[in-house]
Amino acid sequence: MFAVLRDLVRYNNEFAIGLVLVAAIGIFALASLFSPVDPNLIFTTIPDQPPSAEFWFGTNSRGQDMFWQLSEAFRNSLVFGLTVACISRIIAITVGLLSGYLGGWIDRVLMFVNDIFVAIPIFPVLVLFYFVLRSDMNTVTLALIMACLGWAYDARLIRSVALGLKHREFTRHAVFAGMSTRKILLQEHLPFVMPIVFATFMNNMLWSIGLEVTLAVLGLTDINTPTIGTVLYWANSHSAMVVGVWWWIVIPVVLTALTFLGLFLLAVSTNEYIDPRSRLRRMGV
Amino acid sequence: MTDEILRVDGLKAYYQMHYFGVQREVRAVDDVTMSIGRNEVYGIAGESSSGKTSFIKVLAAAVRPPLRVVSGSVNYDFRSGPINVAAATAAEVERVRWKSLSYIMQGSMSVLNPVRRIGQTFHDFAFRPLGLPREAFDRRVLDHLARLKLPADILRAYPHELSGGMRQRVTIGLATICHPEFIIADEPTTALDLVVQKEVLHLIRDIQAEMGASVVFVTHDMSVHANVTDRIGIFYAGRLVEEGPTRKMFFAPRHPYTAHLVASLPRIGDTAQRPSLDGRPPNLAAPPDGCRFHPRCPLAVDKCRIDVPPLVEVAPGQRSACWRWQDVQPLDRSVALAHGAVT
Amino acid sequence: MTSYFWFVAKRAVLLVAVIFFGVSATFFITHLSPISPVETALGRIANQSSFSPDAIEDMRRVLTDLYGTDRPLLQQYVTFWQKLAAGDLGPSLIAFPTPAMTLVMQALPWTVALLVVSTLITFLAGNLLGALAGYFQNNMALKAFGVVAVVLQPIPYYVVAFVLLILFGFVWPVLPISGGYAMDVAPGWTLDFMWSVALHAILPAVSLVLVGFGTWFLGMRALVSNVVTEDYVTYAELAGVKRSTIMGGYVIRNAMIPQVTGLAMNIGTVFSGTIITEQVFNYPGLGSLLIDAVFGGDYALVLAVSTISITAVGIAIFIVDLLYPLIDPRVKAE
């Protein structure tokens, strides 16, 4: 595992750039643990200060130091993305492996449900949940809802791999040896789908953080918890661009773009590493 | 051989790879010299990774990175003029493709475009080289299908709607419709069931006899060679180790590897265990010194571990690259008889 | 032909299931909530002017009757479907007493047009350039497209839309950044109006195209670079088949198949993007309507927009699915 990482860093530029970006953002987000101010409070400092030696990222119109504000926001958003990705991976793996291994009517029913989930537009449903829950809509609830909605596509991918594993020699050995279905799936099949799980993990994080930004910017989440989206929401509601507090918008947008680019590059390059055909192409150069 | 259509001289083709900082060179074809006559069916045998596939890629002018021709020449003497495909430009090769030089590719399952009807594929492959008006072309295709014993309505079918045998006939049809002078057939019968195999073999032979083409026939299956080929060349670890008329190769092999291949054929009514070779084919990235077969050879002596044996004429028309070719045991006549080499 | 019929039948069952489950979900999510549409409505009306308690009580009775909230949930559910079948989901609150459905139907064409135009542009441009980039892997210009696609692809719709808004609203104000058409043009089938609509659609459409482009470009590039190693492509090349035929009939034709599946799977995501883009550019589509409805506490309108969105996306996916057997002959054989 470590050797693979080292090789990827050394010979795959995309992976190296992605790793540097994500690591930098990760460190920046973790810095919030040592924040000298409570980022949930407002008017703790002079408002509307441009970036300077004292306030690296400036301060906003609500009197918050943008450096610590953004640090906290990125930590919350990343944790949010990780939560959604973890839970939805568990659902996707369960459905995908069961469907692929058991086959028959269980497969058909699961894939039918899967197709429904793929076809239902998620955004209106999320808005609906906000409409109903209002102030009860906190980050954890949102993460749970999104995890329950965001597994379908990846479950299908995992199923297609599991279908192939079902007829392999070692599966038959395991069945003859009297292994239980649960054991076969967890011990024999799970390792084979882990690469896909890993690559889709980052795509799922991108998806969930992006959706959270979208919802938050519209004010459809808990706007009092700092996240990437809520920072932009407050900047908009104070017309930051119009009144000239540009750093309130530009810095978060640039940092967000870098985060997304980093995660995306990691996803793409691991995907390429997993897919032997693209590896062969690289050899051919 | 006076009337040669193909002459290969000192051909070396290597895979040169560069991946994750590791440089690797695999000598897939290492110094091969041979020739093929007009209207001859030449068989190439050898196990997988013996270099036979790379060799015919060079013959077919299908060399793609990471495979590269390092040195040597591959000269064809076509009616339209001579060409060295190892050095020719893409445009020069383009002129002889399909008209003079055609190819039956391995794996009938995957060589036909799954979303194109068979008729359309015939049009793609043969319309330009034949240069006939549309109606004459259609008639030509129908005539050719009849020769292949294929019904005319398959022209409207998609590949997945045909059986494996039919698909293989279609690829043979594609390769032969332009009446090429030289056909390369790469494992054309592998993955087909036995009955279909036989049909396909007869078909290739009949078409070859009727149209008068030279055929290079590649397969690891020695019994197929016995049925189809005039001469056989045996590849081992990137080298041509023995070559000769098919009958001689079965009755009097002069290389221990050939002897082994022939002896390992199954015989009806013989319950004895087939002898098997110890070890694996050598790693071509770091081949053994001397004769590359020596680690697995029952006859190996010290000389074999140091010096590379040259390919020398050991009998009229037969060449072997073995220091101890005189000690190779000729084979029991019944083996060859059982495989129709003398029919 | 019969196999195509069965294919369509199977897809139609799925469409019905999607609409049924999706719409049921919207119903139950909204009805299991503690918020009463009646009280929300009363609160709004009472805020605007003062009424006597008796008048409010009267109004409560009327509204309860209208929304049917006093009946058991199951009965409400049945009534809901009956009303939906008749295209009636009750009056909207924010534009009382206009029926919610009427508002939705006014907004729907804007969203559909924006979605269809931008999706077509994105799909065609992304796939064509992606295919070229996958086939001519050493072309510098195409490589540059790849870098742009990689950078743009993961960025949320909102950020791209917002950057465009800043660029063309503040930095270089040449394009309209708000609304569906200029205020001084009367709606109608006039040239002026059409021109104004087209002009106003540019920025929303461009932001959708920019974000969507990468998905198709990168997907197609990867697919093509795999397809070119397939035996049938190698074989056609060995046979000296014309380059353009190989590119069109062999490479792109085969790489398109998963992309069309991808299009079906993508419609939902693009729809989400449309909602946010509409909000940023104040575009008079379903997205803006949905957000207005949520903040206006407009129960009927939220339900109507969600229902129609789910149905519309379901139908769009159904249409794309129907194309699938036409481009992949193997599907029919199943």
Side-chain angles (χ1 to χ4, degrees):
Chain A
M1 186 66 200
F2 183 74
V4 168
L5 270 182
R6 194 196 56 209
D7 280 357
L8 274 171
V9 172
R10 202 179 296 169
Y11 303 114
N12 191 324
N13 288 335
E14 284 156 12
F15 187 84
I17 297 173
L19 197 66
V20 168
L21 286 175
V22 171
I25 295 291
I27 291 167
F28 173 61
L30 284 179
S32 66
L33 294 174
F34 309 100
S35 173
V37 287
D38 183 351
N40 294 310
L41 298 179
I42 54 173
F43 295 111
T44 54
T45 180
I46 322 152
D48 294 340
Q49 294 300 300
S52 63
E54 193 190 351
F55 305 109
W56 287 8
F57 291 170
T59 65
N60 65 18
S61 306
R62 305 175 80 216
Q64 293 165 318
D65 184 337
M66 283 309 289
F67 183 87
W68 297 112
Q69 184 68 22
L70 280 173
S71 173
E72 174 78 11
F74 271 82
R75 197 185 73 188
N76 285 337
S77 282
L78 287 176
V79 168
F80 175 81
L82 285 171
T83 316
V84 175
C86 283
I87 300 175
S88 66
R89 268 0 41 204
I90 292 171
I91 304 176
I93 292 171
T94 314
V95 172
L97 285 183
L98 277 179
S99 192
Y101 180 72
L102 295 177
W105 66 269
I106 295 181
D107 177 37
R108 248 170 279 150
V109 168
L110 283 176
M111 281 305 109
F112 191 71
V113 174
N114 191 84
D115 283 349
I116 291 174
F117 269 91
V118 168
I120 289 180
I122 286 164
F123 195 77
V125 177
L126 289 175
V127 172
L128 213 58
F129 270 108
Y130 171 78
F131 180 68
V132 170
L133 297 172
R134 297 271 165 170
S135 52
D136 294 332
M137 180 67 129
N138 56 28
T139 325
V140 179
T141 319
L142 184 64
L144 278 175
I145 295 171
M146 278 174 65
C148 291
L149 293 171
W151 55 269
Y153 190 74
D154 300 329
R156 199 170 256 286
L157 271 180
I158 292 171
R159 171 181 171 269
S160 64
V161 176
L163 268 181
L165 295 174
K166 183 181 171 181
H167 300 291
R168 295 269 285 272
E169 198 63 29
F170 67 88
T171 309
R172 240 172 293 158
H173 278 297
V175 174
F176 285 135
M179 246 178 162
S180 70
T181 303
R182 198 175 63 95
K183 258 194 161 169
I184 292 177
L185 294 185
L186 285 181
Q187 290 178 6
E188 306 288 326
H189 289 182
L190 190 59
F192 281 89
V193 297
M194 275 330 271
I196 304 184
V197 171
F198 190 62
T200 56
F201 188 94
M202 276 166 297
N203 276 328
N204 195 264
M205 268 184 81
L206 283 175
W207 171 80
S208 55
I209 298 177
L211 216 48
E212 192 273 339
V213 170
T214 306
L215 284 169
V217 163
L218 298 172
L220 301 179
T221 57
D222 173 15
I223 48 175
N224 293 317
T225 308
T227 65
I228 299 175
T230 52
V231 167
L232 292 172
Y233 169 82
W234 286 114
N236 272 343
S237 68
H238 285 254
S239 308
M241 221 48 210
V242 182
V243 296
V245 193
W246 55 267
W247 52 90
W248 197 356
I249 293 271
V250 172
I251 292 175
V253 164
V254 169
L255 286 179
T256 310
L258 290 179
T259 313
F260 276 73
L261 183 60
L263 283 170
F264 181 70
L265 287 175
L266 284 187
V268 168
S269 52
T270 42
N271 228 344
E272 189 179 307
Y273 190 82
I274 292 160
D275 182 7
R277 278 188 295 186
S278 55
R279 229 180 319 175
L280 277 176
R281 267 203 313 284
R282 214 169 250 266
M283 283 162 77
V285 178
Chain B
M1 201 72 47
T2 46
D3 193 13
E4 288 172 354
I5 188 164
L6 169 68
R7 164 123 222 120
V8 178
D9 271 308
L11 181 69
K12 292 184 179 179
Y14 298 167
Y15 287 91
Q16 290 169 335
M17 288 170 280
H18 184 85
Y19 181 59
F20 279 109
V22 187
Q23 202 137 18
R24 257 161 64 97
E25 190 174 70
V26 174
R27 298 177 186 181
V29 180
D30 207 1
D31 206 2
V32 170
T33 298
M34 51 90 75
S35 62
I36 292 172
R38 237 174 256 288
N39 295 342
E40 187 182 25
V41 179
Y42 187 94
I44 291 181
E47 51 203 334
S48 44
S49 82
S50 61
K52 61 183 195 311
T53 308
S54 310
F55 179 62
I56 57 163
K57 272 188 184 158
V58 182
L59 294 195
V63 177
R64 300 269 155 75
L67 183 64
R68 278 189 186 86
V69 174
V70 177
S71 66
S73 61
V74 179
N75 285 294
Y76 284 99
D77 185 19
F78 291 131
R79 281 190 287 269
S80 55
I83 179 171
N84 173 11
V85 294
T89 63
E92 286 166 351
V93 172
E94 210 73 1
R95 272 199 289 280
V96 297
R97 273 203 202 291
W98 240 241
K99 250 188 164 135
S100 308
L101 173 65
S102 84
Y103 191 61
I104 300 169
M105 209 164 145
Q106 188 173 357
S108 63
M109 298 297 284
S110 55
V111 299
L112 296 170
N113 186 345
V115 297
R116 230 158 162 77
R117 294 182 199 275
I118 302 296
Q120 185 68 50
T121 304
F122 265 102
H123 187 268
D124 294 343
F125 277 55
F127 191 73
R128 260 203 321 177
L130 281 174
L132 295 169
R134 183 76 217 210
E135 262 173 53
F137 174 79
D138 289 345
R139 223 173 310 121
R140 173 82 169 254
V141 172
L142 286 175
D143 287 350
H144 199 61
L145 286 183
R147 188 182 298 161
L148 295 156
K149 299 191 184 67
L150 282 168
D153 55 5
I154 64 145
L155 288 177
R156 294 200 39 76
Y158 287 103
H160 71 271
E161 294 165 342
L162 305 179
S163 68
M166 280 173 118
R167 260 199 301 257
Q168 190 57 283
R169 277 156 197 257
V170 169
T171 55
I172 292 168
L174 283 171
T176 51
I177 187 166
C178 300
H179 289 197
E181 293 164 71
F182 197 93
I183 302 167
I184 298 161
D186 185 4
E187 305 263 8
T189 57
T190 319
L192 296 177
D193 63 62
L194 276 174
V195 178
V196 182
Q197 263 193 27
K198 203 166 173 190
E199 278 175 25
V200 169
L201 289 180
H202 280 301
L203 184 66
I204 294 177
R205 264 248 87 129
D206 291 350
I207 287 196
Q208 186 263 343
E210 200 176 320
M211 304 191 318
S214 308
V215 177
V216 164
F217 201 101
V218 183
T219 174
H220 61 273
D221 187 343
M222 290 301 283
S223 57
V224 171
H225 281 297
N227 278 308
V228 182
T229 58
D230 301 323
R231 279 200 301 150
I232 304 179
I234 309 284
F235 273 74
Y236 185 81
R239 289 202 177 129
L240 185 61
V241 292
E242 188 175 9
E243 174 189 69
T246 304
R247 292 187 52 166
K248 274 194 178 159
M249 297 291 277
F250 276 85
F251 290 133
R254 289 300 180 197
H255 194 283
Y257 182 60
T258 316
H260 158 74
L261 285 180
V262 176
S264 59
L265 283 169
R267 264 170 286 174
I268 295 164
D270 180 0
T271 51
Q273 185 97 39
R274 299 270 72 79
S276 71
L277 275 181
D278 291 333
R280 300 161 150 269
N283 174 5
L284 290 178
D289 287 334
C291 172
R292 289 182 180 175
F293 188 56
H294 82 253
R296 301 167 79 186
C297 182
L299 303 176
V301 292
D302 285 348
K303 187 177 178 58
C304 304
R305 296 183 234 288
I306 301 156
D307 296 324
V308 180
L311 192 65
V312 293
E313 182 135 2
V314 294
Q318 188 175 10
R319 298 189 294 160
S320 168
C322 178
W323 293 118
R324 301 188 60 194
W325 62 267
Q326 275 146 325
D327 303 321
V328 177
Q329 287 299 312
L331 199 74
D332 182 355
R333 215 179 150 75
S334 64
V335 180
L337 276 172
H339 289 280
V342 273
T343 48
Chain C
M1 202 55 230
T2 37
S3 52
Y4 187 64
F5 171 79
W6 283 114
F7 178 84
V8 174
K10 257 197 248 171
R11 292 284 130 184
V13 169
L14 183 67
L15 171 66
V16 171
V18 165
I19 294 176
F20 177 76
F21 283 110
V23 173
S24 299
T26 57
F27 174 84
F28 285 110
I29 293 170
T30 41
H31 282 75
L32 292 176
S33 84
I35 300 173
S36 154
V38 177
E39 296 307 321
T40 321
L42 281 177
R44 259 181 89 84
I45 297 166
N47 265 345
Q48 279 159 2
S49 44
S50 50
F51 288 96
S52 67
D54 281 352
I56 290 183
E57 210 41 54
D58 271 353
M59 233 179 302
R60 176 170 287 133
R61 218 173 305 117
V62 173
L63 284 171
T64 310
D65 193 43
L66 187 63
Y67 286 110
T69 42
D70 54 340
R71 277 166 289 169
L73 192 63
L74 206 64
Q75 202 184 336
Q76 286 184 50
Y77 180 58
V78 174
T79 325
F80 167 73
W81 274 108
Q82 283 167 349
K83 283 187 165 178
L84 186 63
D88 169 27
L89 283 176
S92 148
L93 259 185
I94 52 172
F96 197 83
T98 319
M101 265 312 181
T102 311
L103 290 178
V104 171
M105 286 307 158
Q106 277 168 4
L108 190 63
W110 292 94
T111 300
V112 169
L114 184 62
L115 198 87
V116 168
V117 170
S118 59
T119 305
L120 278 181
I121 295 175
T122 318
F123 188 75
L124 293 177
N127 279 321
L128 194 65
L129 287 170
L132 290 173
Y135 199 67
F136 303 104
Q137 289 187 359
N138 296 317
N139 184 300
M140 286 316 282
L142 291 167
K143 273 189 180 171
F145 264 114
V147 174
V148 173
V150 167
V151 174
L152 278 180
Q153 202 268 346
I155 296 175
Y157 280 102
Y158 170 76
V159 173
V160 171
F162 197 73
V163 168
L164 283 180
L165 184 75
I166 293 172
L167 282 181
F168 291 97
F170 297 96
V171 181
W172 190 42
V174 285
L175 284 170
I177 53 163
S178 176
Y181 53 91
M183 288 299 173
D184 53 357
V185 186
W189 294 106
T190 62
L191 213 59
D192 273 355
F193 179 70
M194 308 273 247
W195 173 244
S196 181
V197 167
L199 222 52
H200 280 76
I202 291 178
L203 282 183
V206 165
S207 69
L208 287 172
V209 169
L210 280 181
V211 180
F213 173 79
T215 317
W216 300 118
F217 179 90
L218 297 173
M220 193 63 172
R221 191 175 67 176
L223 282 166
V224 163
S225 50
N226 278 338
V227 170
V228 291
T229 63
E230 294 280 350
D231 284 345
Y232 51 81
V233 176
T234 315
Y235 197 46
E237 282 172 350
L238 280 183
V241 175
K242 259 196 296 184
R243 278 268 146 166
S244 55
T245 310
I246 293 183
M247 185 71 190
Y250 287 68
V251 177
I252 294 186
R253 189 66 177 64
N254 278 285
M256 274 312 284
I257 293 169
Q259 289 295 75
V260 171
T261 321
L263 182 61
M265 301 225 163
N266 202 259
I267 290 174
T269 318
V270 179
F271 182 75
S272 302
T274 316
I275 292 182
I276 183 74
T277 308
E278 284 178 5
Q279 179 68 15
V280 171
F281 293 106
N282 220 351
Y283 202 72
L286 281 183
S288 303
L289 195 64
L290 180 63
I291 307 300
D292 290 348
V294 168
F295 286 113
D298 192 337
Y299 195 80
L301 193 52
V302 167
L303 210 61
V305 176
S306 309
T307 308
I308 295 302
S309 308
I310 288 167
T311 312
V313 170
I315 290 173
I317 293 174
F318 179 65
I319 292 171
V320 174
D321 271 344
L322 291 193
L323 294 175
Y324 193 68
L326 304 180
I327 66 156
D328 188 357
R330 284 162 297 187
V331 171
K332 288 186 209 165
E334 267 181 29

